Amino acid sequence: MFGFKQKSSKDNQEHVLAKSLFDEKTKSDIILNAIDDGVVLIDANKIIQSCNPAAATITGWAQKDAIGVQYDSVIKLVNDKNEAYQPIENPFEKIYQSLATVRDNHANIVTNNNAIKAADIAVTPLLDQQKNITGAVAIIRDVTSEREAESQRAEFISTASHEMRTPVAAIEGYLALALNDKVANIDQKAREYLEKAHSSTQHLGKLFQDLLTSAKAEDGRLQNHPVVVEMGAYLEQLTEDLRFAAQKKGLNMEYLIGADGQQKTNNVTNAKVVRPLYYCHIDPDRLREVITNLFDNAAKYTDTGTISIGIAGDDKVVQIRVQDTGQGIPADDISHLFEKFYRVDTSATRTVGGTGLGLFICRKIIELYNGRIWVESQLNKGSTFYINLPRLGNEKAQQLKSQEESLANTVGALQ
Ligand code: ADP
């Protein structure tokens, strides 16, 4: 009797445990089956161990067929040009570097029946105590309709701003004529009104131009012809080109070599300055837009002092900086600065015209070259905008340059 009672209690415990495990599994199955996002679990060998119904719908693979298969046969990722992802851009591979969640908001999945779906993906590695990856969980969201709506919106903005630029340019032209003493006679009051109208029209023209550029940047239609550029000579020339505009505002302009900025090229130490060759693969016209925009901002928001353009770098990175001694940027605004239409709202900035699109466009252009742009700033002391671009080794640069030259010769011979 006693023995039977003991056995029964153990049985009971096992039963309770099994039931609770079963309940837990059922609960997690219910959750996984109910959520709209695809959830895929892969093991250390990148084999799919589990996948929920939403993942099956997104990829077009039946759950039972997907399980036991290498992940990249089921989740085939391509970029906007329909080219397969290289390991370096694939979030499932990037987790081996980051050991943390990797998100990709611009992925596309080729489904089992060769349709393309726009997807947002987040892959989180599963780590053991030694930080070895033992598997990963991917959350996949089908954003095809959102991306279509976004691209239609960008298309609308782009067409509308393109169409509106022409009449605005005409109005600006006529206002300039009316203000020209040689062709029109107007009294002082009329001149004041027309000057205001002229400057507002110029602002409107700039807004349409920026809207057009940002719409193009968003849907990948920005013209871009990258070539090998030696950044040192390029930036020094650009600094010279901008010097006059700085001086017009009573500001000094200097070009600095090295991270510490000790080596200036506009003073007597000029001849002794060591100039490393910093090659990048970029479109010089696009980068000029970026640097000019940073310079224009520096000049707009600085009353006295110096604007410096600097270059530094290491084996892998070329770092450009545009530094000013102006009003600085409040800490709370810094993380939003590169968003569309963001402008710092202080009495000082309110009096200075702008569209809030400049830095957004800068970021989009720098991202074209896998670069990064950010700012460090101190209120009432000044701001430094940094750009990191991938550096081309000298050998690789020469190789690409000679390819560019032979292509140019072939095109020349054909003309
Ligand atoms: P905007 O056309 O308004 O200048 P941007 O996108 O170029 O648009 O800049 C966004 C905001 O960032 C500006 O409105 C300004 O408040 C702030 N900002 C940018 N550069 C500087 C700078 N060098 N110094 C202080 N504030 C700056």
Side-chain angles (χ1 to χ4, degrees), residues 203 206 210 293-302 322-330 333 336-346 348-350 352-362 375 377 379 382-385:
H203 178 76
K206 171 97 175 81
D210 282 358
N293 198 348
L294 297 181
F295 167 85
D296 285 344
N297 280 348
K300 265 199 294 192
Y301 302 109
T302 304
V322 179
Q323 194 170 354
D324 66 56
T325 52
Q327 65 191 45
I329 300 159
D333 293 297
H336 302 286
L337 225 53
F338 296 89
E339 291 167 10
K340 238 188 305 182
F341 295 116
Y342 195 84
R343 303 201 68 216
V344 178
D345 189 17
T346 62
T349 50
R350 247 174 271 136
V352 182
T355 63
L357 283 168
L359 290 177
F360 172 75
I361 294 172
C362 288
V375 63
S377 184
L379 270 187
S383 312
T384 307
F385 284 80

